[in-house]
Amino acid sequence: VAGLRQALVLLRLAVPPSPLGSLVHVALSQPALPSAAACSQGGAIFARVLVSLSTWMPSWLLGDAASSLWAMRNGHGPAEFGRWLHEALAHADVPRPGLSAEAKMAFAKQLLDATAWSAFKAALKQLCGGKKRGERRVSSD
């Protein structure tokens, strides 16, 4: 986790656009790890990004995370992206504890129906709790 945090902090210093989306795309092209049998690599990546956005990730990285997920959606197609999204949201604590299944599905629909990056980013922000600039939440772990 510390390595991921450091990498994401470095993204803030990188010249836009950040390479996170293309790196995720490459990772998704690799075979899944044997331990990830219950969830695809895409679903696992998606779940981790959503939990990170809801907890420790600073709000200024929302744009980079949204760009990465938008690249996953556009690079792999809406059907595959939708499968990953539903796999990620199937976990009780993703993106945060207490979010009902109905709310998750409503946010998933907004993400899948978004036709512009800005609408996608706004839906992602609301799904992950709508943090304000500079706000961080402490994980319950």
Side-chain angles (χ1 to χ4, degrees), residues 25-89:
H25 178 75
V26 170
L28 292 172
S29 302
Q30 304 300 318
L33 299 174
S35 63
C39 189
S40 69
Q41 256 185 330
I45 290 170
F46 214 140
R48 288 180 185 119
V49 170
L50 291 176
V51 170
S52 298
L53 283 169
S54 292
T55 56
W56 61 264
M57 192 179 285
S59 60
W60 50 261
L61 279 173
L62 175 67
D64 289 323
S67 293
S68 298
L69 295 175
W70 184 253
M72 284 172 65
R73 179 181 183 229
N74 294 331
H76 293 275
E80 190 76 5
F81 180 81
R83 183 173 68 85
W84 293 333
L85 175 58
H86 290 292
E87 286 177 3
L89 293 176

Side-chain angles (χ1 to χ4, degrees), residues 94-112:
V94 174
R96 61 187 186 274
L99 190 62
S100 71
E102 294 80 18
K104 288 181 181 185
M105 290 306 106
F107 286 123
K109 181 170 176 22
Q110 289 178 10
L111 288 169
L112 293 171

